[in-house]
């Protein structure tokens, strides 16, 4: 009798440990930048992602082999969406908080994302 396949999703910490040095560097820079925004932000390591919150989650970060996904509480209607960089995730199932998803693959993507990150931080109570 065949056994049921057992698939277990890697945790955020496991995926981070397996990430390339390029993505580990980007991830560290991203976390450092978010933490530099204010002392009122608190990191919360969850099983599948890292969240940053004030009273509620503002940012959620997931790391993958080919990108870092940053979701934030920012209205996608107020952002000019760019194919392959930003995406409206309202109505799409995903882990974490946030209606706007930013895909960070390069240092240039990270630099572009900074203004969105700052806006999300400023606009959240």
């Amino acid at each position: 009798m065949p056994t049921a396949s057992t698939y277990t999703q890697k945790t955020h910490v496991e995926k981070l440990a397996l990430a390339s040095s390029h993505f580990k560097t980007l991830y560290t820079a991203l976390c450092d930048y978010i933490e530099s925004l204010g002392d009122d932000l608190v990191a919360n390591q969850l099983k599948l992602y890292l969240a940053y919150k004030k009273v509620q989650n503002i940012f959620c970060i997931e790391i993958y082999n080919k990108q870092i996904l940053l979701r934030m509480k920012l209205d996608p209607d107020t952002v000019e969406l760019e194919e392959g960089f930003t995406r409206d995730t309202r109505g799409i199932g995903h882990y974490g908080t946030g209606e706007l998803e930013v895909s960070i693959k390069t240092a240039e993507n990270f630099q572009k994302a900074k203004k969105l990150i700052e806006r999300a931080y400023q606009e959240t109570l």
Side-chain angles (χ1 to χ4, degrees), residues 21-72:
S21 61
H22 167 73
F23 283 113
K24 284 180 183 173
T25 300
L26 275 176
Y27 178 86
T28 300
L30 176 61
C31 291
D32 288 347
Y33 182 73
I34 289 172
E35 290 170 14
S36 76
L37 295 173
D39 293 337
D40 54 349
L41 281 171
V42 177
N44 184 16
Q45 178 63 66
L46 298 162
K47 183 175 180 181
L48 300 175
Y49 59 92
L50 175 67
Y52 283 94
K53 65 181 183 176
K54 288 185 189 181
V55 174
Q56 54 187 257
N57 286 355
I58 303 172
F59 304 106
C60 293
I61 304 169
E62 290 182 72
I63 190 163
Y64 293 95
N65 291 335
K66 298 186 180 191
Q67 67 182 339
I68 296 169
L69 291 182
L70 171 65
R71 291 192 188 85
M72 61 185 83

Side-chain angles (χ1 to χ4, degrees), residues 1 14 18 27-28 33 45 61 77 83 96 108 124-125:
M1 179 175 209
E14 289 169 336
L18 295 171
Y27 178 86
T28 300
Y33 182 73
Q45 178 63 66
I61 304 169
D77 294 335
E83 181 73 31
E108 292 76 24
T124 303
L125 300 173

Side-chain angles (χ1 to χ4, degrees), residues 90-105:
R90 291 177 290 197
I92 298 174
H94 61 79
Y95 296 115
T97 300
E99 300 81 31
L100 181 70
E101 179 181 275
V102 178
S103 174
I104 300 174
K105 299 175 186 168

